[in-house]
Amino acid sequence: MPGTHTRVVVVGASLAGVHTVRALRAREYAGEIVLVGAEPGAADGVAVDRPALSKEFLTDTEPSAVPVLSPGDLADLDARLVRGRAVDLDLRTRHVVLHEGRRLEYSALVVATGSTPRTLPGVETLRGVHTLRTLADATDIRAACTPGTRVVVIGGGFIGAETAWAARARGCSVTVVEMLPAMLLRGVGPLLGEAFTRRYAAAGIDLRMNTGVAGIEGRDRAEGVRLTDGSRLPADVVVLGLGTRPETSWLDSSGLDLRDGVVCDERLAARGAQDVFAVGDVVRWRNPRYGEDTRVEHYTNAVETAGVVAANLTGGDQRHDALPYVWSDQLDSRLQVFGRIRPQDDLHVVQGDLGGSFVAISGGDGVLQGAVGFGAVRQLMPYRRMLASGTSWDEARGMADGTPADAQAHPLVRPRP
């Protein structure tokens, strides 16, 4: 029963897993906590704080990376760290199986194994081809991106764009290849994506939109990238920013419902299993705010899901219905997105303009759906409150149009008919 668990095993020692441990102790959970970590390249299996790896770590003169859990933290939390990779889960006997055959018994289990970068077939042994997930990845990319280096970034999402900008700042010649028609399109929608595409092009980054990758050339190391339009890009360094997939391979034979993540209910309890929860990148849950299954791969969601699970493991009954939020550093400014930006929704620029700092809101189905701020942290906050309260689209636009003269609304056409 909730609140009576004597041993909670948390599999995954990155942000979501560590915050679950912290949240359990903050709620005065007195039982045993076992944290299982297998971060590549980390002696103790604990990850570093990942957001900085695609940002200041690549550009600072003296970069640093902070682990999400120090030995002192571990002692203060009275948690036991087990270095190892989980390879199986036995729901019947309540055991997690590690790669060397060791079995860890649990009374409650939290799956926090995060996600793994997507890659391209045949590049695993090719030097000069990188993904960006771990401290070792970021260290290798930073060392390779010296002035004059020819860098090809495959993927124009948040990580790809951040990496491209960092490489450009380090004096590299940078090309971004993206199959979609605009940069950041999945995150901010078509109209804002087009605006960011123009700004990245103006910053001296070569953009190849609507283009796929036919292959990466080179015998031992990357020498070029062949595109589906028949062109070839010379390359010394190739960075794959192709998104991620949830790390659920170790659960394939467990019997859990796995569909692009561990499928959970509104309380983040795994469907069809007892006393099993999931947090962070790996959880796909029924979001009561939107009435649909959702999976989110961002920092805030990792922290929030950890808090929900900790509450439900200690006698609470919480649903995860937090307002989605993501932030990214783009073009030396902070980009923030609250809610969701759907391609079919209307878009309204309410402050600034798309060539500088701005705030834009989007709406559809009669409701304010999302708000985006670029270089406008304070100005965005009123729209966050509107989203949280369920403000109608007409009301949100009316309030925006009534702002002072120096922040007049600039309506834009619908991005899709």
Side-chain angles (χ1 to χ4, degrees), residues 222-359:
E223 297 176 359
V225 177
R226 289 183 289 106
L227 306 184
T228 53
D229 63 5
S231 60
R232 178 187 183 276
L233 302 172
D236 305 305
V237 175
V238 178
V239 180
L240 305 179
L242 301 172
T244 65
R245 56 174 177 80
E247 185 46 74
T248 59
S249 60
W250 68 284
L251 299 168
D252 284 346
S253 63
S254 67
L256 290 179
D257 187 357
L258 305 176
R259 285 178 282 130
D260 188 38
V262 178
V263 180
C264 295
D265 62 17
E266 298 176 350
R267 299 174 62 254
L268 307 184
R271 291 178 183 167
Q274 187 175 7
D275 300 322
V276 177
F277 297 80
V279 292
D281 290 7
V282 80
V283 59
R284 172 171 290 278
W285 82 101
R286 189 69 177 178
N287 189 327
R289 180 176 292 272
Y290 300 121
E292 59 188 38
D293 285 355
T294 306
R295 190 171 73 84
V296 178
E297 299 177 348
H298 299 301
Y299 184 102
T300 307
N301 183 67
V303 176
E304 290 171 343
T305 53
V308 170
V309 166
N312 291 330
L313 283 172
T314 53
D317 186 22
Q318 286 193 17
R319 305 184 308 163
H320 183 40
D321 62 352
L323 181 68
Y325 170 66
V326 58
W327 60 271
S328 175
D329 287 343
Q330 301 288 338
L331 300 163
D332 279 342
S333 288
R334 177 60 50 89
L335 170 66
Q336 298 175 283
V337 182
F338 287 103
R340 53 183 183 172
I341 309 299
R342 305 184 303 181
Q344 70 269 26
D345 289 342
D346 290 331
L347 186 76
H348 206 54
V349 178
V350 298
Q351 294 193 37
D353 62 77
L354 298 186
S357 61
F358 65 84
V359 174

Side-chain angles (χ1 to χ4, degrees), residues 150-195:
R150 299 168 299 181
V151 178
V152 175
V153 178
I154 301 174
F158 287 127
I159 295 297
E162 287 180 350
T163 305
W165 179 250
R168 182 64 178 160
R170 292 182 63 81
C172 300
S173 170
V174 182
T175 302
V176 175
V177 180
E178 170 58 63
M179 292 186 66
L180 297 175
M183 298 280 286
L184 308 177
L185 193 148
R186 289 191 178 92
V188 300
L191 283 176
L192 297 182
E194 291 166 8

Side-chain angles (χ1 to χ4, degrees), residues 13-43:
S14 190
L15 184 70
V18 168
H19 271 271
T20 301
V21 175
R22 294 185 186 278
L24 282 168
R25 291 305 189 210
R27 295 185 66 88
E28 300 183 349
Y29 171 72
E32 183 183 3
I33 299 177
V34 179
L35 179 64
V36 180
E39 178 74 1

